[in-house]
């Protein structure tokens, strides 16, 4: 009898004591949480960082974010951000590289794709060599909110169209695509609605435009097409190239020409050139 009563009392004591020894999510060692976070994608890491203080502290560990950074991130921080990578945490480096950052006098924009972590570059029309750009009878720059650079080059009329560009940069290994972002006609807004002026559009349906690219590591591509879809921005695919060595800068030359002088061409907006991972073009969305 006494033993039975003693057993019941012991069970009750256990019930009172056990809650003090129960394990909570916050009791998981921070180092263990960091190891788990390092195996996740950046969006998932940011979500879990809001669970509690332990998860937030674990998400700040440098090794968690260093695995998400491109192998040449030190070059990117110096070239694009103009800062010393040793003075920034790895999370801050990743966050800032994922934001669109202007460099080279604001004529180029860089960002890391948040989903695949690869390099994207956008080059303004002001960074391109355009034949006749200094003669306002042919070309001029017009302001627009449809470009990330707020300005595009507009062709009124000319016989010889030639737009050439070049950039030297360090890319992470992979396949990249290059596009020209063009529009036939110029757009504006009236009474809150987008309207397109196509009055000066002519000459683009007679002969195709030739696009070319070449790289210092031996890749070349050529394509031809007629410009189409007046009043809307179109990303014209020039070609693809491959990067094998992330520590060696690669020079990329590209151009678009229509030099058939039997007729004039006009009414063309040149916004920019985009260089991005080839898989990125399937979800290409530019401002």
């Amino acid at each position: 009898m006494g033993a039975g009563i003693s057993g019941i009392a012991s069970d009750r004591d256990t019930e009172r004591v056990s809650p003090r020894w129960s394990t909570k999510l916050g009791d998981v060692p921070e180092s263990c949480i960091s190891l788990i976070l390092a195996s996740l994608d950046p969006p998932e890491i940011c979500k879990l960082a809001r669970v509690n203080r332990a998860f937030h502290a674990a998400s700040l560990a440098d090794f968690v974010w260093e695995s998400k950074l491109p192998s040449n991130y030190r070059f990117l921080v110096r070239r694009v951000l103009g800062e010393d990578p040793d003075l920034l945490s790895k999370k801050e480096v990743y966050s800032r590289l994922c934001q669109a950052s202007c460099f080279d006098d604001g004529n180029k924009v860089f960002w890391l794709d948040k989903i695949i972590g690869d390099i994207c570059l956008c080059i303004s029309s002001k960074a391109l060599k355009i034949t006749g750009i200094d003669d306002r009878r042919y070309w001029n720059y017009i302001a627009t909110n449809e470009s990330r650079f707020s300005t595009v080059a507009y062709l009124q009329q000319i016989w010889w169209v030639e737009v050439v560009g070049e950039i030297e940069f360090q890319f992470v290994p992979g396949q990249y695509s290059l596009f020209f972002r063009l529009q036939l006609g110029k757009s504006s807004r009236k009474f809150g609605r987008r309207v397109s002026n196509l009055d000066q559009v002519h000459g683009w349906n007679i002969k195709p435009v030739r696009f070319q690219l070449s790289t210092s590591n031996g890749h070349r591509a050529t394509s031809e097409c007629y410009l189409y879809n007046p009043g809307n921005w179109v990303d014209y695919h020039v070609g693809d190239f491959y990067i094998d060595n992330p520590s060696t800068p690669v020079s990329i030359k590209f151009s678009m020409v229509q030099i058939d002088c039997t007729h004039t061409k006009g009414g063309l907006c040149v916004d920019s050139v985009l260089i991005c991972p080839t898989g990125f073009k399937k979800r290409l969305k530019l401002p």
Side-chain angles (χ1 to χ4, degrees):
M1 181 75 176
I5 294 174
S6 176
I8 295 173
S10 177
D11 291 341
R12 289 175 178 173
D13 289 342
T14 302
E15 290 176 1
R16 289 195 298 269
V17 172
S18 60
R20 293 188 302 167
W21 298 98
S22 61
T23 302
K24 299 178 182 178
L25 193 58
D27 297 328
V28 180
E30 185 179 307
S31 58
C32 293
I33 299 174
S34 295
L35 287 172
I36 296 172
L37 295 180
S39 66
L40 303 177
D41 293 329
E44 296 172 320
I45 297 173
C46 293
K47 289 180 181 178
L48 290 176
R50 297 195 291 266
V51 170
N52 57 32
R53 292 182 180 179
F55 273 71
H56 176 72
S59 71
L60 301 178
D62 273 352
F63 79 86
V64 171
W65 293 98
E66 190 163 13
S67 63
K68 316 303 176 188
L69 290 169
S71 56
N72 63 343
Y73 76 89
R74 300 180 70 84
F75 160 82
L76 298 175
V77 172
R78 292 191 177 97
R79 177 78 167 84
V80 177
L81 303 181
E83 297 191 32
D84 185 344
D86 294 328
L87 301 180
L88 303 173
S89 70
K90 298 301 186 291
K91 181 180 180 180
E92 186 176 2
V93 170
Y94 182 85
S95 176
R96 293 184 60 179
L97 289 180
C98 285
Q99 301 172 19
S101 300
C102 296
F103 65 105
D104 284 0
D105 298 324
N107 290 326
K108 299 181 180 72
V109 172
F110 165 93
W111 71 97
L112 282 184
D113 181 69
K114 294 180 180 179
I115 296 178
I116 58 179
D118 282 345
I119 290 173
C120 300
L121 286 172
C122 197
I123 304 168
S124 166
S125 59
K126 286 191 174 182
L128 307 177
K129 295 180 181 179
I130 303 176
T131 300
I133 191 65
D134 295 325
D135 192 330
R136 293 197 174 185
R137 292 176 300 172
Y138 307 128
W139 290 88
N140 56 63
Y141 290 107
I142 59 175
T144 176
N145 60 2
E146 296 186 354
S147 168
R148 66 170 66 246
F149 298 102
S150 301
T151 303
V152 299
Y154 179 69
L155 170 64
Q156 298 178 91
Q157 179 172 290
I158 203 170
W159 294 90
W160 181 293
V161 176
E162 185 175 26
V163 182
V164 179
E166 181 177 4
I167 186 171
E168 185 176 84
F169 208 77
Q170 282 186 18
F171 293 85
V172 296
Q175 181 179 355
Y176 292 83
S177 298
L178 189 144
F179 300 85
F180 269 88
R181 186 171 189 249
L182 311 173
Q183 176 181 264
L184 293 177
K186 54 183 177 180
S187 303
S188 60
R189 301 196 72 84
K190 291 184 178 180
F191 305 108
R193 299 182 61 184
R194 183 181 189 273
V195 294
S196 298
N197 184 339
L198 308 180
D199 292 346
Q200 293 180 310
V201 176
H202 68 281
W204 302 107
N205 59 341
I206 301 175
K207 290 289 180 68
V209 173
R210 175 184 288 266
F211 298 96
Q212 291 182 310
L213 77 81
S214 63
T215 67
S216 58
N217 63 346
H219 295 287
R220 297 180 181 275
T222 300
S223 62
E224 289 188 352
C225 74
Y226 292 92
L227 303 190
Y228 59 93
N229 202 6
N232 294 283
W233 290 103
V234 178
D235 301 297
Y236 293 90
H237 183 212
V238 178
D240 301 334
F241 61 93
Y242 297 86
I243 300 295
D244 299 318
N245 189 345
S247 60
T248 302
V250 173
S251 176
I252 305 168
K253 297 180 180 180
F254 46 88
S255 64
M256 62 165 286
V257 297
Q258 217 297 12
I259 54 177
D260 184 344
C261 293
T262 61
H263 64 284
T264 61
K265 284 75 68 174
L268 174 68
C269 283
V270 178
D271 173 36
S272 58
V273 169
L274 173 70
I275 301 174
C276 63
T278 299
F280 183 78
K281 65 186 180 183
K282 295 180 180 179
R283 50 192 176 86
L284 189 61
K285 291 182 180 180
L286 294 177

